[in-house]
Each structure stands twice: as C-alpha cells, then as structure tokens.
Amino acid sequence: MSGRTPTQTHRLFDHDRVAKGYASARPYLHPEVFAVVRDVVRPAAPFRRALDVGCGTGLSSLALLDLAEEVVGIDAALEMLRHARRADGIRYVASGAEALPFREGCLDLVVACGSMDWVDRPRFIPRAARLLVRGGWLVSLDFGDTGRSPEVPGLERWYDEVFLGAYPRPPAGDPMIAANEAERHGFAAPRHRDFASACSFTARQYAAFLMTESNVIAAVEYGRQTDAEVRAWLESGLRPLFGDESRPVAFGGYIQALRRL
C-alpha cells in the first residue's frame, strides 16, 4: 500500500480545475486498452454490468461500453463526477472504493483503471469479490506517459531531470496483486499483460496533460505556485523541444485480470 489514504485522494482530485483538466487534456487511449482487456479475459458474450472504480471524468466508463451492456462509474470526488462523460448505458455514483453501495453478486466485471494504488486494498478487494458473480472478473490496470518520444530525443532528459526534479512523484506502493493475495480473497492467480501505445501532442497540449498529473496537481492545489505559473513554466520548457509540430509521446502500462472462483 502507498501512504496515500482515500481521504487524501478525495481532497487531491476534488477540485473544479482538476476535473476540467481531466475531462479535456487526458488522452483517450481507453478503447485501445480495453481491447487488450478483452483479449486477456476473452468473454463469451458482453458483460451484463461493469463497475468502474475511480472513474474520474468517465473516460474509462465510456470505453467500458465496448465490454459491458451497463456501466456504473464510482468516484469519491464530486467535481470529477460533475464533469463526467454522459452516454446511454452509463450512470455515476458518488462513493469510495472501500464501501461500494451495491448488493452482493450483482456485477460481472469490476475495473480499477489507475486507481488500485489509491484505494485501501485490504478493504477493497474482498468487497469487490463479494460483489462479483462467480466467474466474474476484477481487472486492475494503469497506463501513463513515459516522457519519451522517438521524434523528440531531448524529451527524456527534460522529463527525468527537469520536470521530475521540479515536481517529484510522491511515494507509492506496488499496485500489483500477488497470487497469494488474489487467492486469499477467492480469485484465481492474476493474468498479466503489459502494453504500449502513443499519443501525439503539441507542446501546449502536452503541458496541459502534465497539469493533470498528481505530482503537479499537488503542487498547485497545496503549494505556492498558481496554475498559470506552472503551465507557463511547462510550455516554456517544452516549446523548444516540440517546436510547432505535434509529436508522438510513448505511453505504457499493465493489465492484471483476476477471475472470481
């Protein structure tokens, strides 16, 4: 587990500025990611009902409609839910991951997209197990940019030394679920898949994306720098690297899929 508590998570992301950034600046790679999830779990038919834990502004919930007939997105941050994507087949509920307000055995799929290292796992995983039907799936996944681009060789040094030097990532626990942890809560050993993708950004777009990263959010919301100051600093560092062109930035991530026994 990381040192971050659900309360801290709620406070960090429950800001209108942050939610607007999530809704507008995060790349929509989720359909590609969930195509890999489909290949890992290989469902015989669409799932009846899926739960998206820590749904944020609903990018993952929207993509989950490719896997499930009905999607419920939950998040403790009300501002995120106010900006969440609306679509037929999706509804949103304000809730933390540890006290999910649903009856047992009502879900076929539970997805934690980028949220497993933010939740209280000893409470969340057994609760997810009780909500899933036998044969249902708990899928934990995450992906993010690597600070690398085949077209911008200087990006690696800027990202590792300049950006992370100014805005270091907070300590975090290992989000991977071990086989003995899975089996203790009634799941088969996890299936694992790594994946890679890319998204193209201009310097301004990449700066806007970096403004949505948790280390930068914390610096703005609880530090002494303003949104405008940080954004201007990011753009001034990225513009000489990207020029006026849109450049691909590499993303990478993992998927863990646990079948309920």
Side-chain angles (χ1 to χ4, degrees), residues 45 51 66-67 86 112 219 254 260:
L51 180 68
D66 290 339
L67 288 175
R86 264 56 184 179
Y254 72 89
R260 179 74 168 92

Side-chain angles (χ1 to χ4, degrees), residues 102-165:
F102 307 103
R103 61 179 173 81
E104 295 186 6
C106 70
L107 300 171
D108 305 289
L109 174 66
V110 174
V111 174
C113 182
S115 57
M116 187 58 73
D117 58 344
W118 292 95
V119 304
D120 185 346
R121 245 164 59 186
R123 295 172 61 200
F124 166 66
I125 293 180
R127 180 60 179 156
R130 290 193 295 271
L131 295 180
L132 283 164
V133 299
R134 292 190 179 276
W137 291 89
L138 170 61
V139 175
S140 171
L141 65 94
D142 200 2
F143 61 93
D145 81 295
T146 64
R148 309 290 187 268
S149 172
E151 295 184 9
V152 188
L155 181 60
E156 178 177 353
R157 180 180 178 278
W158 179 88
Y159 188 91
D160 291 349
E161 299 179 15
V162 179
F163 172 63
L164 292 181

Side-chain angles (χ1 to χ4, degrees), residues 187-212:
F187 291 97
R191 301 180 185 179
H192 185 95
R193 181 81 60 87
D194 292 322
F195 63 90
S197 186
C199 182
S200 291
F201 297 92
T202 64
R204 185 174 185 179
Q205 289 168 339
Y206 190 47
F209 165 73
L210 292 177
M211 291 293 297
T212 69

Side-chain angles (χ1 to χ4, degrees), residues 8-22:
Q8 289 171 328
T9 303
H10 168 82
R11 289 181 60 231
L12 184 62
F13 293 102
D14 202 7
H15 300 273
D16 182 68
R17 180 195 67 81
V18 176
K20 286 179 178 177
Y22 259 69

